[in-house]
Amino acid sequence: MKVLGYAAKTPTAPLAPFNFERREPRPDDVVIEILYCGVCHSDLHQARNDWGFSEYPIVPGHEIIGRVKSIGDSVTKFKADDLVGIGCMVDSCRECHPCQQGLEQYCEEGNIQTYNGHDRFDQRPTYGGYSQIIVASEDFVLRIPQNMDLKSAAPLLCAGITTWSPLRHWNIGKGSKVAVIGLGGLGHMAIKLAHGLGAEVTLFTRSPGKEADARRLGADRIVYSTDDNQMVSVANQFNLIIDTVPYVHDIDPYMSTLTLDGTLVFVGFLGDNPPVNTVPMIIGRKSIAGSCIGGIAETQEMLDFCGEHGITSDVEVIKMAEINDAFERMLKSDVKYRFVIDMASLTA
């Protein structure tokens, strides 16, 4: 089927209108009209080939909210007009150990990315949510709670699940102490979700003036990581630190703030980070870990939790034609806290 989207055709080209073909629906497919699509830092990195594996033309977008247009003959989970979402992946092998555990994000064959991937049946490139329509297997489609504001729900499909998954994996709840490094798209969701789970939440930041906003989002305390006295005051406290910083940075100052058996988990940075002093790790049995989005069941759990607790992202809605300006503003952290594209604005 013919679809209009926005694509980057080279690493240096601005995104522009792009006509392409979606596959004809298979028996287990859901055809979705896209209503809103969040703008993730990954979209910018992939469009500009910052990670070195982008394939062009590339249609970004993996925070997708839409309405079901039609379903394949074997679909049982959805019907026409249902409100649904698609996150960062649209398929996996479904047979390996992680997939069998509902951890499709760690598929041993590699999950099929919503964009910049290849369909595992016909090897056609996958194109993302900066477009009118998407087609995906019902097993990788999420149900959106009826009470959610749709535009504000879009970033839950990446920023939300990326921070929810480590909170759940490390059993965060009432009585837990969680710290979040960085207050951006990921950081603001980490604060909201940790607070919603009943944890005591601290924001680590290097930038003055974020106290009021952090507290509005659910933080109980703000600590300036450049202030040695403030860092000493939170030594040996945190069960979990969620590190959302998307660039190379020194994590040594934060390791002393973990409690016995505490963990610092990277969710924002891909690449080689500076070496870490292992002394605090050894004398306090502290860990450094990484975490990648979440499985489909876990993502649905997160959406349902957010629906029950009234949690969505703080967003600024833009038109599709404003995406290149939004990318530049995102590089300057000039958004609170996530851009979302109103796909009704998409025109050739």
Side-chain angles (χ1 to χ4, degrees):
M1 63 182 73
K2 297 183 184 300
V3 176
L4 174 63
Y6 255 55
K9 295 186 178 180
T10 72
T12 58
L15 271 68
F18 173 61
N19 290 286
F20 63 99
E21 293 275 340
R22 294 279 189 201
R23 69 168 183 258
E24 289 303 312
R26 299 168 185 147
D28 67 331
D29 274 343
V30 178
V31 180
I32 300 165
E33 175 191 4
I34 300 175
L35 304 176
Y36 296 98
C37 186
V39 180
C40 178
H41 259 281
S42 299
D43 299 345
L44 186 153
H45 289 311
Q46 294 274 36
R48 299 184 176 180
N49 200 25
D50 290 340
W51 295 330
F53 54 84
S54 298
E55 298 183 19
Y56 297 92
I58 186 169
V59 178
H62 58 203
E63 299 178 341
I64 299 166
I65 298 289
R67 191 182 304 277
V68 176
K69 287 175 61 71
S70 62
I71 58 173
D73 291 342
S74 68
V75 171
T76 61
K77 299 176 183 177
F78 302 97
K79 63 182 186 304
D81 293 327
D82 281 349
L83 294 173
V84 295
I86 290 179
C88 302
M89 54 186 173
V90 289
D91 209 348
S92 70
C93 81
R94 311 191 192 201
E95 297 178 354
C96 68
H97 183 60
C99 285
Q100 289 295 306
Q101 291 183 292
L103 299 172
E104 299 93 347
Q105 73 272 32
Y106 301 120
C107 176
E108 292 173 357
E109 292 187 10
N111 66 68
I112 308 303
Q113 297 285 286
T114 302
Y115 68 89
N116 201 45
H118 292 91
D119 185 273
R120 68 192 183 100
F121 294 105
D122 59 25
Q123 300 305 308
R124 293 173 62 175
T126 58
Y127 295 121
Y130 294 8
S131 58
Q132 297 168 316
I133 290 170
I134 192 166
V135 181
S137 166
E138 66 170 335
D139 291 334
F140 285 77
V141 177
L142 290 309
R143 188 174 301 280
I144 304 301
Q146 290 290 327
N147 63 326
M148 274 191 174
D149 177 73
L150 297 183
K151 61 183 180 296
S152 302
L156 298 178
L157 279 305
C158 178
I161 187 56
T162 296
T163 50
W164 174 263
S165 188
L167 290 168
R168 295 296 284 157
H169 179 74
W170 276 277
N171 299 312
I172 297 303
K174 291 182 179 179
S176 301
K177 292 187 177 182
V178 173
V180 177
I181 307 175
L183 185 59
L186 290 172
H188 97 287
M189 285 310 311
I191 291 173
K192 286 188 176 191
L193 292 170
H195 176 76
L197 287 166
E200 178 184 304
V201 186
T202 295
L203 172 68
F204 282 124
T205 182
R206 301 170 60 89
S207 305
K210 295 188 175 181
E211 294 93 334
D213 220 25
R215 293 190 186 280
R216 176 184 64 82
L217 295 167
D220 299 287
R221 178 168 49 185
I222 293 84
V223 171
Y224 289 98
S225 56
T226 53
D227 186 318
D228 292 342
N229 290 330
Q230 290 193 30
M231 293 297 284
V232 169
S233 74
V234 291
N236 303 310
Q237 289 203 11
F238 301 114
N239 305 105
L240 182 68
I241 299 175
I242 298 181
D243 187 336
T244 73
V245 176
Y247 48 78
V248 173
H249 57 289
D250 183 9
I251 64 170
D252 273 341
Y254 304 104
M255 297 304 293
S256 63
T257 71
L258 289 169
T259 190
L260 177 67
D261 290 326
T263 301
L264 182 148
V265 58
F266 285 106
V267 298
F269 176 68
L270 292 175
D272 295 323
N273 213 54
V276 64
N277 183 346
T278 62
V279 173
M281 299 173 65
I282 291 171
I283 65 174
R285 202 162 60 189
K286 301 173 183 181
S287 302
I288 300 169
S291 182
C292 175
I293 56 172
I296 296 301
E298 189 174 49
T299 306
Q300 188 64 62
E301 175 194 61
M302 178 271 304
L303 289 168
D304 294 342
F305 178 88
C306 289
E308 292 168 9
H309 291 82
I311 297 172
T312 52
S313 297
D314 288 19
V315 305
E316 178 180 336
V317 179
I318 62 171
K319 296 178 181 178
M320 186 72 257
E322 297 170 332
I323 186 60
N324 294 299
D325 289 338
F327 274 7
E328 294 304 316
R329 286 181 57 194
M330 192 162 58
L331 284 172
K332 301 173 184 176
S333 299
D334 180 25
V335 58
K336 288 189 175 179
Y337 283 96
R338 205 72 156 188
F339 288 116
V340 171
I341 306 163
D342 181 351
M343 298 309 300
S345 68
L346 174 58
T347 57

